[in-house]
Structures are given as structure tokens and as C-alpha cells.
Amino acid sequence: MKENKHIQRDEEATKIFDNRSLANDYKNLAPILKPGMKVLDVGCGTGAISKDIGAIVGVNGKVTGIDNTESFILSGRESYKDIKNLELIHVDLFDFNPEEKFDLIISARVLQWLSNPKEALLKMKSLLKPNGQISILDYDHTNLDWNPSPPESMQAFYDTFLKWRHDAGMNNRIAEDLPKLLEEAGFHAIEKINSDELYNDERADYKSKIGIWSKVAGSLQMVEEGYLDNELRLKAIEEYNHWIATEAISMTMKLNEVRGKI
């Protein structure tokens, strides 16, 4: 049963990754992409954003996507097998030692999950060509903005989620701390670009996007680790889904893109 649940979670995550695009989910990156560039996408998921980058860098460019979840890479290789300038590799960043260096390294929504983001930035720096550039896109989870406020049960769940992340060594406000981390890692010409994600009824998928927190609450991990009462978890899902259906107007997730050069 546990294995089946794990497979189901992988399938749900794959679907989320497949629905991403450069235009919607890395909206400020395109202007710095140039034909002929060699780009590395760290934590690429299924490669949906990577393949959009490939279309811009063109036949003389190349995009390499790496991810440490094999099922995502296998799915992406099948979905995008006809894209000649896209290579997807199942490997952890810290075990990735290619012969080539890259003009640009990007990483979207990845460092938020790491307890060692500075070490990850140093590893990425070592993979850049001279004068190469890095772009990191990530969240400030401490400033999630719901309109109107969701049920108290979901607010309690979300507070617990932030505590669980903090206790595991993850930085809940990494979007705000990225400029300092890049500076400490030796990057210069650092820029911070607001890339907030606003979900409202101007988007056909806004209710499913707002529903991300029901999916997060679907995991039993925080219950199993003693952070959360299962009754509260189930109540949060039920009441939050009702709120989405009857009251939700919008949700804004605070997101920054931070760039640096070597």
C-alpha cells in the first residue's frame, strides 16, 4: 500500500511538472536566453521548462536538465524525445561532473528544499564558464497571501508545515535570502527580480493552483513524524476545498528570481 501511495504521489508531481512552462512559471528568464547558449537546468523535474528554453537557444545551443528523481527524468525523456538539443539526466547535483561548462545555470523552486543551499550554489558556480550567469527562482513561504483568509484549520496546517520545514533545515524565506547567499558564494552583479505567482479567476486553472495546499496536506509525512494530528489534517483538506469552491478569490505566492555572474 505504501508503495502504491508513493507511485501516486510521483504521478501527481509529474503532472504538476508537465503543466509548467517558461512563459508561466519562469516568466522573466526569456530575455537573457540567447541562441547558441549552453544551459543547465538543476532540478528540472520532467523538463517542461527546459524544453521551452531549448526552443530559444536553438539548434546551436543545448539544454541539459538534471534531477535526482528518476521517474521525472524517465517521463521527460519519453515526452520530449524528439527535441534534439535537450538532454535529461538522472543525477544529484553534487554527483554531476560533466566535461563541459555552461553559459547559464538555472534552478527553479529547488533550493527551498535543501538544507545546504550555499553548497549547492558553490557547486553550480564550479560548472559555469568564465563570465557565466546563474538564475535561481524560489519562494518566500512566510508571505503567502490568500484572499480572503482560508479556514483556521488550513492556517494551522500551514503553520505546522512551515515549522516542519524549518526543523528539517529548510529556509522558508529563501527568496529573500538568495542575494546574500549568492554574494557569499562569490557571485557579483546580483539582481533580484520579483516573480510573484498570482492565481485568480483570470486564469482558467486558478482553483486547481490554489488547491496545491490540499495536495500538500494529502501527505501523511507530518502526521507520521509527530508534527500534526491526523484529524486536523483531514479537517484542513475538507474545509479548504469547500473554501476554494465557495469563497476563494485569489492566492499570491511570493517568488523571486535572483541572478548573479562570476
Side-chain angles (χ1 to χ4, degrees):
M1 182 64 72
K2 280 188 177 179
E3 184 177 348
N4 287 339
K5 285 182 178 178
H6 180 71
I7 291 170
Q8 186 178 2
R9 284 199 298 270
D10 272 2
E11 288 175 349
E12 288 173 356
T14 297
K15 198 175 297 182
I16 290 170
F17 286 131
D18 282 343
N19 288 335
R20 286 182 173 163
S21 69
L22 181 65
N24 288 334
D25 300 292
Y26 215 135
K27 59 188 178 184
N28 294 308
L29 185 69
I32 66 170
L33 298 173
K34 308 295 180 189
M37 266 187 167
K38 304 295 188 289
V39 181
L40 174 66
D41 184 355
V42 176
C44 64
T46 61
I49 292 175
S50 315
K51 60 100 163 98
D52 289 347
I53 293 171
I56 297 176
V57 301
V59 293
N60 293 321
K62 183 181 177 183
V63 183
T64 302
I66 64 170
D67 202 287
N68 62 6
T69 301
E70 186 176 21
S71 60
F72 299 158
I73 294 296
L74 293 176
S75 175
R77 284 178 182 168
E78 178 60 28
S79 297
Y80 310 125
K81 60 187 175 185
D82 294 331
I83 299 177
K84 304 303 183 187
N85 66 345
L86 174 64
E87 181 182 23
L88 299 176
I89 302 172
H90 171 227
V91 66
D92 186 271
L93 169 64
F94 293 100
D95 297 324
F96 183 55
N97 299 296
E99 292 182 8
E100 63 180 338
K101 302 284 187 178
F102 299 90
D103 300 296
L104 173 67
I105 296 178
I106 70 161
S107 188
R109 304 169 182 84
V110 173
L111 267 62
Q112 60 165 326
W113 297 109
L114 303 184
S115 59
N116 57 344
K118 183 178 174 182
E119 285 80 0
L121 290 170
L122 288 168
K123 174 65 177 182
M124 291 184 214
K125 183 183 174 189
S126 74
L127 300 175
L128 281 170
K129 294 178 182 179
N131 302 313
Q133 187 170 20
I134 193 172
S135 168
I136 307 294
L137 185 73
D138 230 318
Y139 291 112
D140 176 1
H141 289 299
T142 66
N143 279 316
L144 178 62
D145 183 22
W146 280 292
N147 179 30
S149 294
E152 289 184 7
S153 56
M154 177 50 74
Q155 294 182 53
F157 171 82
Y158 190 74
D159 288 344
T160 304
F161 172 70
L162 293 185
K163 176 173 171 48
W164 170 79
R165 283 178 46 84
H166 176 269
D167 289 355
M170 294 177 265
N171 184 345
N172 286 320
R173 62 186 307 275
I174 193 163
E176 293 302 316
D177 292 342
L178 278 170
K180 182 181 178 185
L181 285 168
L182 262 69
E183 183 179 359
E184 290 176 353
F187 290 94
H188 69 274
I190 295 167
E191 304 174 72
K192 183 173 80 169
I193 301 161
N194 181 280
S195 301
D196 289 354
E197 294 174 340
L198 170 63
Y199 300 115
N200 59 22
D201 62 6
E202 293 180 8
R203 289 184 57 144
D205 63 349
Y206 88 102
K207 287 194 173 182
S208 67
K209 292 291 189 180
I210 292 174
I212 183 65
W213 300 111
S214 293
K215 294 183 178 71
V216 173
S219 169
L220 284 166
Q221 186 169 357
M222 289 193 291
V223 173
E224 292 168 349
E225 294 181 11
Y227 278 84
L228 187 69
D229 179 79
N230 195 47
E231 190 174 330
L232 172 61
R233 182 185 71 86
L234 294 172
K235 184 180 181 183
I237 294 171
E238 180 182 358
E239 293 185 348
Y240 188 64
N241 286 340
H242 179 73
W243 174 83
I244 292 171
T246 60
E247 296 181 55
I249 296 172
S250 68
M251 179 181 76
T252 303
M253 296 185 70
K254 302 295 183 179
L255 187 67
N256 288 329
E257 181 191 348
V258 181
R259 301 173 186 167
K261 295 181 178 180
I262 60 170

